[in-house]
């Protein structure tokens, strides 16, 4: 899944790319399209169903979509967190809680790369996400911006996007999640 960007409309939407064994591919455009910008299509599984939480910062909500028929049919499920300008949201289970990590802007300049906020819930598809008491849990533009979650040998690793002045996506790094709790 990827963001496809319409330059003329200055708006992104979610598309799917199927890659075949012979290295050919098929692009399926507009699998999720709204009247606001969509990007960063993060997917997770819960109760044997697939869900997507794409970036929807221009809507000022964190939205959840449910897969109806993989990979091309998705439906809007609900608003997870209202009235939040957030980007690059990821959702994953750690121990007995579900965690939502997202990047927010701390000023009117809409700079989303320096603050990582965490929320937890017992159920990832409800709207009862509780903010972490120590938010922002990361306040550093070199390490705060989400890039995804990797799993290896029951360990979790957060991919971090790095930025330089006026340069988007300069590099990335990976950090092991060693301690995560709701206190």
């Amino acid at each position: 899944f990827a963001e496809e960007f319409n330059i003329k409309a200055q708006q992104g939407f979610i598309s799917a790319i199927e890659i075949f064994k012979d290295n050919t591919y098929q692009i399926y455009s507009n699998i999720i399209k709204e009247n606001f910008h969509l990007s960063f299509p993060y997917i997770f599984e819960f109760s044997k169903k697939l869900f997507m939480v794409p970036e929807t910062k221009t809507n000022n909500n964190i939205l959840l979509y449910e897969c109806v028929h993989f990979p091309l049919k998705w439906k809007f499920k609900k608003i997870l967190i209202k009235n939040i300008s957030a980007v690059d949201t990821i959702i994953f289970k750690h121990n007995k809680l579900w965690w939502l990590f997202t990047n927010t802007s701390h000023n009117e300049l809409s700079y989303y790369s320096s603050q990582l906020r965490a929320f937890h819930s017992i159920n990832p598809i409800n709207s009862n996400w509780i903010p972490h008491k120590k938010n922002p849990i990361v306040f550093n533009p070199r390490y705060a911006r989400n890039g995804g979650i990797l799993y290896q040998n029951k360990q979790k690793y957060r991919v971090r996007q790095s930025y330089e002045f006026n340069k988007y996506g300069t590099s990335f790094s990976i950090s092991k999640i060693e301690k995560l709790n709701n206190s």
Side-chain angles (χ1 to χ4, degrees), residues 129-141:
W129 287 95
I130 300 164
H132 196 282
K133 294 174 185 175
K134 295 182 180 177
N135 272 339
I137 60 171
V138 176
F139 198 157
N140 183 326

Side-chain angles (χ1 to χ4, degrees), residues 39-79:
S39 61
F40 198 84
Y42 184 81
I43 297 172
F44 67 96
E45 184 178 0
F46 175 70
S47 294
K48 298 183 181 180
K49 294 182 182 179
L50 288 176
F51 295 91
M52 184 187 298
V53 57
E55 176 189 307
T56 55
K57 79 171 179 182
T58 57
N59 181 265
N60 284 319
N61 296 304
I62 296 176
L63 304 180
L64 181 70
Y65 294 81
E66 182 179 346
C67 185
V68 177
H69 188 280
F70 187 81
L72 304 179
K73 184 130 174 82
W74 296 77
K75 69 175 181 179
F76 170 72
K77 180 78 173 171
K78 68 185 328 179
I79 297 173

Side-chain angles (χ1 to χ4, degrees), residues 42 44 53 80 89-93 98-100 124 129 151:
Y42 184 81
F44 67 96
V53 57
L80 293 179
T89 300
I90 58 177
I91 296 176
F92 61 96
K93 190 171 188 178
W98 284 88
W99 290 89
L100 183 152
W129 287 95
Y151 303 90

